[in-house]
Amino acid sequence: MSDNAMPARLERPRILTFVLLIAAAAFVLSSFANSGVSLEKLIRGLPALGRLGSQMFPPSTERLEAVFWSLLQTFQMAVAGTILGLALSLPLAILAAPILSPHPFFVWIVRGLVALFRTVPDLVWAIVFVIAVGLGPAAGVLALMVDTTGFAARFFAEAMEETDKGPREALSALGASRSGVIFSSVIPQALPSMINTSLFSLEKATRGSVVLGLVGAGGIGIELKVSLELFEYDQAATIIISIFLLVLAVERASTWVRSRVL
Amino acid sequence: MPAAISIRKLAKSFAPGKQVFSGIDIDVARGSLVALIGANGAGKSTLLRCIPRLIEPSSGDIDVLGQSVTTSARGLRQIRSRIGFVFQKHNLVGRLSALTNVVHGAQGRGYGAAAWSQSLAPRAIRSQALECLDRVGLLAIAGQRADSLSGGQSQRVAIARALMQQPDIVLADEPAASLDPQAGDEVMQLFASLMRKEKKTVVFTSHNLTHALQFADRVIAIGAGRILLDAPADRLKEAELRGLYV
Ligand SMILES: Nc1ncnc2c1ncn2[C@@H]1O[C@H](COP(=O)(O)OP(=O)(O)OP(=O)(O)O)[C@@H](O)[C@H]1O
Ligand SMILES: [Mg+2]
């Protein structure tokens, strides 16, 4: 084979690609410039960070019991919000999966709704529900429900969409109804992935539940906010450590469940 | 008595100008076993799938057991429930037990949610399903997950699922093609003898001419978009059929 017949090792970049690359590089540089991070700032901030650290240590054990109860409430909010969100995700996912949806119209509507749930941050949902149902954990649970739905409905729909076509076709061929096809072929096949998503949802909701108190939607966040505002940094340290332990415990437990079930 | 399956002027094209077949007329008598043969891409699977409307025909009429195969969802489900379909790839739900997969066969018979899983099924359905597994010789593995079974076992479970429908008609698309020769012969032998014993009307496709001649009453060959040959199996020779492929 002659040399000219060989394909080029590198394709010559087209002019448009080149322009886009330059633009992207410029944007990255300006991102650093505009947000004003610098090594100098960081170094100047170090003493303050050190002072904060020393004020946090040793963590206070004064209100350990109160911290424990509000941590429990936080986790219970996460559990309730996750379960409600998962329960809502299942029908939404069925409507959003083109192979299962009764009509393409539902696919678009539901996907739009789920995208809205997902793209609006949970803290914003918490504010919305505090306005709607008042201060307290109920607002937090609703915010976590919506946030979980935005996450889980999407992944449930993808898991269902990826199931093997053969068993589905076999079920329709023998005269099964749409719900028969869904519950005896699609969901059993999608189950491992759906369990995985559910566990991730719980982990995510646990992390999310911690900050909801900042806007008055219940849980330990309010404790953290109050101690920080009163400069009780040793108190804040206790709360942060307990949050860390809770999140870690939930992640560990979920990994364990995953390894047992899947 | 009307034919079990009556096909008139059936045509199917997937894209304009690319017709798979046209003008297909076939009557399948009740209780007969018909082998459908033809080269790769001749349209055997397409023809078979048109019968329960797993594929929408482009034109033509199909009557099943004297009833026109309608497009109304309810009517279609009712007709489908009377037709067992055995696929080349068994199409079982791998994560579920063999027994649950067989129980699924009752879904067309009006059991609905009760036939989603063996654990929900009423006693009568479970014992019928076990009996179907027994008929294909797999009672012992009823509780095993379908994805742990061999190819031959899986295909026998799929046959049991079709029996569970208590169908009048069974369509099988190359039921032995993904099995080794030994397992393939066994599955075809079992399939044909069960179907004969229960007087089912059967259409199966195959590339195995020996199977076609050995197990069918009648052989229909398709090619070039039409029926090339339609004759009783006992009047045909393998060499003659081989000629259809060149
Ligand atoms: N879903 C589809 N979309 C487009 N074309 C299709 C589709 N299914 C089948 N065809 C085409 O229709 C023709 C007939 O295919 P079919 O699968 O019915 O043949 P076959 O006789 O079953 O072949 P094989 O022996 O390989 O199973 C082929 O040309 C195939 O490419
Ligand atoms: Mg085929």
Side-chain angles (χ1 to χ4, degrees):
Chain A
M1 195 195 272
S2 82
D3 260 8
N4 337 351
M6 297 275 277
R9 285 178 192 276
L10 290 176
E11 270 180 55
R12 187 181 300 165
R14 293 190 307 143
I15 199 92
L16 182 67
T17 320
F18 191 68
V19 170
L20 283 175
L21 275 176
I22 296 284
F27 187 76
V28 169
L29 288 177
S30 79
S31 302
F32 282 100
N34 285 347
S35 51
V37 276
S38 68
L39 200 56
E40 188 223 330
K41 242 184 204 163
L42 192 62
I43 290 169
R44 266 197 287 138
L46 274 181
L49 211 58
R51 233 174 303 126
L52 182 63
S54 69
Q55 282 168 348
M56 281 182 153
F57 195 83
S60 151
T61 51
E62 227 169 276
R63 298 187 59 242
L64 218 47
E65 205 185 317
V67 168
F68 173 79
W69 288 116
S70 88
L71 197 67
L72 182 67
Q73 187 196 47
T74 312
F75 182 54
Q76 286 176 327
M77 278 165 52
V79 170
T82 306
I83 289 173
L84 289 176
L86 294 175
L88 192 59
S89 292
L90 190 64
L92 288 180
I94 290 169
L95 291 174
I99 54 161
L100 304 177
S101 191
H103 196 276
F105 173 74
F106 291 112
V107 177
W108 290 110
I109 293 289
V110 172
R111 284 195 176 176
L113 187 70
V114 170
L116 179 73
F117 286 180
R118 185 173 55 246
T119 48
V120 175
D122 51 359
L123 217 51
V124 176
W125 286 120
I127 294 169
V128 168
F129 284 114
V130 165
I131 295 167
V133 303
L135 291 167
V141 169
L142 291 174
L144 292 168
M145 173 187 83
V146 170
D147 200 51
T148 299
T149 305
F151 172 77
R154 175 186 174 188
F155 285 105
F156 281 6
E158 275 173 20
M160 291 179 185
E161 198 67 22
E162 277 164 14
T163 54
D164 191 4
K165 177 168 174 284
R168 248 172 23 227
E169 191 180 30
L171 263 299
S172 351
L174 59 78
S177 62
R178 183 195 302 277
S179 52
V181 175
I182 292 171
F183 284 97
S184 40
S185 161
V186 177
I187 290 184
Q189 289 186 71
L191 202 60
S193 164
M194 288 169 67
I195 289 174
N196 206 4
T197 299
S198 304
L199 291 170
F200 273 125
S201 298
L202 182 63
E203 293 176 33
K204 190 166 134 60
T206 307
R207 286 190 299 266
S209 66
V210 164
V211 292
L212 295 181
L214 296 179
V215 297
I220 200 162
I222 187 72
E223 299 273 348
L224 185 61
K225 187 179 171 196
V226 169
S227 356
L228 288 173
E229 280 171 356
L230 298 179
F231 306 108
E232 287 172 350
Y233 294 130
D234 53 347
Q235 191 68 56
T238 312
I239 295 170
I240 290 171
I241 291 169
S242 62
I243 288 171
F244 170 77
L245 292 176
L246 172 69
V247 172
L248 198 69
V250 170
E251 285 180 0
R252 281 295 179 82
S254 129
T255 306
W256 180 78
V257 172
R258 204 170 279 134
S259 70
R260 294 302 300 265
V261 176
L262 308 184
Chain B
M1 193 158 72
I5 305 171
S6 162
I7 298 173
R8 288 287 169 278
K9 294 203 180 74
L10 188 73
K12 175 67 194 176
S13 51
F14 286 102
K18 281 182 69 185
Q19 204 149 46
V20 181
F21 49 69
S22 63
I24 301 283
D25 290 313
I26 299 173
D27 280 301
V28 180
R30 290 191 188 223
S32 65
L33 266 72
V34 175
L36 188 60
I37 63 169
N40 288 127
K44 303 179 295 297
S45 303
T46 305
L47 178 54
L48 217 53
R49 278 160 193 268
C50 279
I51 297 170
R53 272 199 147 85
L54 293 175
I55 288 180
E56 196 58 31
S58 303
S59 64
D61 293 305
I62 298 174
D63 282 11
V64 169
L65 305 160
Q67 250 183 300
S68 172
V69 182
T70 55
T71 42
S72 90
R74 184 178 293 268
L76 186 57
R77 278 182 54 198
Q78 202 253 327
I79 289 183
R80 283 179 175 176
S81 70
R82 304 179 68 181
I83 306 176
F85 207 110
V86 179
F87 300 83
Q88 174 176 344
K89 196 178 147 274
H90 49 76
N91 285 351
L92 302 175
V93 183
R95 293 178 48 80
L96 301 178
S97 67
L99 182 57
T100 288
N101 273 287
V102 176
V103 164
H104 286 170
Q107 285 191 25
R109 281 161 48 199
Y111 280 94
W116 287 354
S117 162
Q118 63 93 7
S119 52
L120 302 171
R123 197 186 172 80
I125 291 297
R126 296 181 90 228
S127 64
Q128 277 176 29
L130 285 169
E131 195 213 332
C132 291
L133 276 172
D134 194 21
R135 276 192 273 174
V136 298
L138 290 180
L139 195 54
I141 57 92
Q144 270 188 44
R145 267 173 63 151
D147 54 12
S148 70
L149 304 178
S150 74
Q153 287 175 324
S154 300
Q155 200 56 295
R156 278 147 69 192
V157 174
I159 293 169
R161 176 173 62 186
L163 291 174
M164 187 67 188
Q165 287 178 248
Q166 302 178 341
D168 301 287
I169 296 171
V170 176
L171 307 175
D173 194 4
E174 302 191 44
S178 46
L179 307 178
D180 67 55
Q182 177 67 23
D185 287 349
E186 281 169 16
V187 162
M188 272 313 292
Q189 186 76 54
L190 174 77
F191 176 70
S193 67
L194 280 172
M195 295 300 138
R196 284 202 187 282
K197 197 157 60 192
E198 312 217 349
K199 301 192 166 56
K200 308 284 187 207
T201 307
V202 175
V203 181
F204 69 93
T205 70
S206 181
H207 285 300
N208 185 323
L209 299 177
T210 316
H211 284 172
L213 291 175
Q214 182 183 354
F215 298 118
D217 307 313
R218 175 179 166 199
V219 177
I220 299 176
I222 59 171
R226 58 195 175 84
I227 293 178
L228 300 177
L229 172 147
D230 182 349
D234 53 15
R235 286 211 227 121
L236 293 165
K237 293 267 176 313
E238 209 173 307
E240 201 176 336
L241 296 181
R242 240 166 240 295
L244 295 168
Y245 289 84
V246 291

